[in-house]
Amino acid sequence: MTQSRDGSCCPIEKIDDCGLCNGNSIVDSMGNCCDGVLDSGGNCCQGTVDDCGVCKGDGTFCGLATSLIFVGAAGSFNALNTNATLRENVAEIMSGRVSSYLGTENINITFSSTDERVETTVWIEPPVPLELVESENTLLSRLLPLMEVPVPVGEASFRLSSVGPIRREGHCGNDVCEVDEPQNGCDQDCPLTAVNLCEENETSCSGHGTCAAFTGDCVCYAGYTGAACNDCGPDFERLLTGFCGRDYNSISSDPLPSTQETGETNAVIDEPEDGSTVGSSKPYKANSIAVIGGALGGVTFVGGVVLWKGVLKVLWKGSQVLPRVI
């Protein structure tokens, strides 16, 4: 068993990241509890996070990347390797074809060739056309003509052989923290995830708080305080278990009316309709009286004596309590 965020006992395996018992919360970059999901910036999102890692986004903020592999007709690669002008034409023509088929001009293509194939890396800059985001099949279907009909380039020709995995990549500098930008060091878009001071400082908050990755500070659970949440807070005390529990003696409360100057207080109790009383004027030692307190069916129990409606006057005399029913 361990102590949960609200101070209650809970099996340790049922404590979530936020310290809640039987909870399903996570901790955001500022150390706050989140019952939603985290976006790429480490912020709590009360909704869905798109493929770009943007809260409630439509998937168009970040770039879309893939690789295309072309194979050439006989003699195409020999011509490509010996003719610099042809290589330039291949890059220009294929870029134009791919851009045309995908329906966007925001595209960058890099080429590399071997004796057997031409490898290209295609990166579509944001905003990516929504139809390409909604389904990978749309992108593949638009590239299908390149597989069926070779692209003539001078004395050579090339045909699309395969399409690599489609992936999303952040566009650093657009003020939106997107997928892979925290890992790639785009601090200007992702300031909250630029560093994780909790990991750098190995901050654990003593198991009684959550650590804000952005600041490295602990956000302590109820009853705990201090930089590492290892001290008991106000109105809490260290228990034998090592946890901090409520210190009821330190809480300002006075069950008796404030008449300590006269040493006298009155309490209203029940009295039978015939005016009779039940009680005793016999003095009792204070340390021998157990005040049960409480009401049941209009009957008040004090020290095991049933008292009806009336006034019980208690005179405090040193260690003695002198109850009288008047």
Side-chain angles (χ1 to χ4, degrees):
M1 299 290 287
T2 188
Q3 196 173 27
S4 66
R5 189 183 188 92
D6 62 4
S8 61
C9 290
C10 182
I12 191 170
E13 66 274 9
K14 294 186 177 181
I15 296 286
D16 67 10
D17 292 344
C18 201
L20 299 176
C21 190
N22 295 314
N24 194 31
S25 299
I26 50 181
V27 182
D28 67 11
S29 293
M30 298 303 295
N32 300 316
C33 291
C34 173
D35 58 1
V37 291
L38 299 183
D39 63 11
S40 290
N43 301 300
C44 184
C45 177
Q46 298 295 339
T48 58
V49 174
D50 67 9
D51 291 338
C52 293
V54 178
C55 180
K56 300 179 182 179
D58 60 5
T60 62
F61 281 98
C62 63
L64 188 151
T66 187
S67 59
L68 307 178
I69 296 178
F70 291 86
V71 294
S76 294
F77 288 103
N78 182 55
L80 190 65
N81 292 331
T82 58
N83 190 326
T85 302
L86 181 61
R87 287 196 297 271
E88 294 178 1
N89 291 339
V90 167
E92 182 178 351
I93 291 175
M94 286 190 174
S95 294
R97 288 292 182 93
V98 172
S99 177
S100 175
Y101 286 134
L102 293 181
T104 177
E105 295 181 357
N106 297 327
I107 188 170
N108 291 321
I109 297 181
T110 57
F111 290 85
S112 63
S113 62
T114 65
D115 292 338
E116 298 179 352
R117 63 184 186 178
V118 173
E119 295 183 4
T120 67
T121 300
V122 178
W123 193 74
I124 303 175
E125 298 178 358
V128 177
L130 189 59
E131 58 270 20
L132 297 182
V133 171
E134 293 176 336
S135 173
E136 290 186 1
N137 292 331
T138 301
L139 184 145
L140 296 175
S141 64
R142 291 189 177 185
L143 293 175
L144 186 60
L146 291 174
M147 293 184 173
E148 297 175 341
V149 180
V151 179
V153 183
E155 57 191 279
S157 63
F158 301 90
R159 177 179 58 83
L160 180 62
S161 173
S162 62
V163 179
I166 299 173
R167 61 189 184 277
R168 309 308 304 271
E169 294 183 355
H171 183 58
C172 189
N174 63 353
D175 296 326
V176 179
C177 188
E178 300 150 337
V179 61
D180 79 9
E181 285 188 325
Q183 295 81 11
N184 292 338
C186 184
D187 297 351
Q188 63 189 95
D189 288 352
C190 308
L192 293 182
T193 57
V195 293
N196 188 331
L197 295 179
C198 296
E199 292 183 357
E200 288 186 10
N201 300 334
E202 298 182 354
T203 305
S204 65
C205 301
S206 305
H208 301 305
T210 57
C211 183
F214 180 60
T215 63
D217 297 329
C218 288
V219 180
C220 299
Y221 298 162
Y224 291 89
T225 188
C229 299
N230 54 2
D231 298 323
C232 295
D235 297 331
F236 284 78
E237 63 179 348
R238 186 75 61 182
L239 305 177
L240 294 178
T241 58
F243 298 137
C244 292
R246 181 74 69 175
D247 181 9
Y248 292 98
N249 292 327
S250 68
I251 301 176
S252 178
S253 62
D254 186 4
L256 296 176
S258 56
T259 56
Q260 297 179 359
E261 294 83 359
T262 61
E264 181 174 333
T265 182
N266 294 332
V268 178
I269 57 175
D270 289 338
E271 179 181 29
E273 295 180 357
D274 59 4
S276 62
T277 58
V278 179
S280 173
S281 61
K282 180 179 179 180
Y284 292 85
K285 289 287 186 179
N287 57 10
S288 65
I289 295 180
V291 179
I292 299 175
L296 178 63
V299 179
T300 301
F301 296 87
V302 179
V305 179
V306 180
L307 300 169
W308 299 95
K309 199 170 186 180
V311 177
L312 176 65
K313 181 169 290 189
V314 181
L315 299 178
W316 294 84
K317 300 278 190 176
S319 64
Q320 289 186 336
V321 178
L322 306 178
R324 295 183 299 165
V325 177
I326 302 174

